[in-house]
């Protein structure tokens, strides 16, 4: 996969705003939103949402849904304007926003129908995603061009601060027996050890 030059942020912003309006105006938008928020236990993680200070799912799920949709619209715009370059479209993101993208795209059938009706492609591949967002970067420039506002700092956490918060979480998780950022633990639930 060859990476092209990323399209002009103003052009991306203009197209992303159109895409987002199309998604929000779609006949199944409400179902997409409700379904995404319905089962938070299925989209909880140890590394994405928990880096939000004083994370509170009932309070944070709506603004995160908004940010996840915005990121998907930006990525779809870059994908389209770059001639289908998936690598260019995998924008640097903040971990919590990226986690919400996973939750939105888990609504697979309705997401596919929406993208077909709106005439765009949702872009997201975990083999190319990177939690490298920083204020002022290309993603930030596209975001402000598209939405006329700054990304909310509560959810759009920069790369260095993400690393710092992940280190805090790792230490706390380790202290209660949760290892490798939730990939393993030493809790036996009172059962005999596996051989």
């Amino acid at each position: 996969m060859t990476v092209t030059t990323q399209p002009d942020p103003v052009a991306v912003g203009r197209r992303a705003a159109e895409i987002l309006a199309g998604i929000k105006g779609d006949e199944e938008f409400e179902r997409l939103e409700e379904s995404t928020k319905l089962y938070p236990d299925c989209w909880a993680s140890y590394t994405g949402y928990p880096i939000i200070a004083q994370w509170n799912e009932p309070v944070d799920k709506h603004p995160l849904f908004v940010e996840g949709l915005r990121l998907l619209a930006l990525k779809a715009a870059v994908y389209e304007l770059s001639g289908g370059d998936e690598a260019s479209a995998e924008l640097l993101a903040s971990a919590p926003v990226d986690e919400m993208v996973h939750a939105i795209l888990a609504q697979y059938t309705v997401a596919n129908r929406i993208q077909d009706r709106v005439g765009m492609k949702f872009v997201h591949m975990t083999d190319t995603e990177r939690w490298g967002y920083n204020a002022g970067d290309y993603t930030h420039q596209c975001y402000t061009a598209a939405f006329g506002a700054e990304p909310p700092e509560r959810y759009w956490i920069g790369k260095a601060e993400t690393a710092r918060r992940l280190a805090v979480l790792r230490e706390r998780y380790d202290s209660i027996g949760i290892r490798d950022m939730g990939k393993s633990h030493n809790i036996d639930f009172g059962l005999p050890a596996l051989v």
Side-chain angles (χ1 to χ4, degrees):
M1 185 178 327
T2 305
V3 177
T4 61
T5 302
Q6 291 178 305
D8 175 62
V10 174
V12 170
R14 190 169 30 254
R15 181 61 183 134
E18 294 169 356
I19 289 169
L20 184 61
I23 294 169
K24 291 169 115 179
D26 187 83
E27 63 194 61
E28 290 191 278
F29 173 73
E30 188 175 305
R31 181 175 181 209
L32 177 69
E33 183 175 15
E34 288 175 4
S35 297
T36 299
K37 296 175 184 178
L38 192 58
Y39 295 110
D41 292 343
C42 295
W43 48 261
S45 76
Y46 288 88
T47 56
Y49 304 122
I51 71 165
I52 296 170
Q54 298 176 335
W55 158 244
N56 184 325
E57 181 268 329
V59 171
D60 290 314
K61 69 182 174 184
H62 180 72
L64 266 175
F65 177 77
V66 169
E67 296 309 312
L69 277 182
R70 286 178 171 184
L71 179 58
L72 282 168
L74 290 170
K75 290 164 62 163
V78 172
Y79 184 76
E80 181 180 303
L81 295 173
S82 67
D85 188 324
E86 187 180 316
S88 289
E90 193 57 67
L91 299 175
L92 295 176
S94 173
V97 177
D98 182 67
E99 290 293 328
M100 181 52 75
V101 165
H102 294 185
I104 294 168
L105 294 180
Q107 314 316 311
Y108 183 76
T109 52
V110 70
N112 277 331
R113 287 193 299 266
I114 289 173
Q115 77 178 351
D116 290 345
R117 284 190 294 264
V118 173
M120 56 80 183
K121 294 286 183 205
F122 287 123
V123 180
H124 189 76
M125 289 296 300
T126 54
D127 64 343
T128 57
E129 73 182 2
R130 300 167 313 278
W131 293 345
Y133 167 80
N134 277 309
D137 70 7
Y138 181 73
T139 302
H140 183 264
Q141 293 169 37
C142 293
Y143 185 106
T144 57
F147 312 118
E150 291 293 316
E153 291 179 5
R154 177 164 176 77
Y155 307 113
W156 287 88
I157 303 162
K159 184 178 180 176
E161 181 61 10
T162 294
R164 187 190 74 77
R165 291 181 188 193
L166 286 172
V168 170
L169 287 174
R170 179 181 301 278
E171 184 178 316
R172 294 204 178 176
Y173 293 152
D174 285 349
S175 75
I176 59 170
I178 296 175
R179 307 282 183 241
D180 304 316
M181 299 302 283
K183 294 181 193 86
S184 67
H185 61 68
N186 64 5
I187 303 164
D188 68 10
F189 303 102
L191 300 173
L194 295 174
V195 179

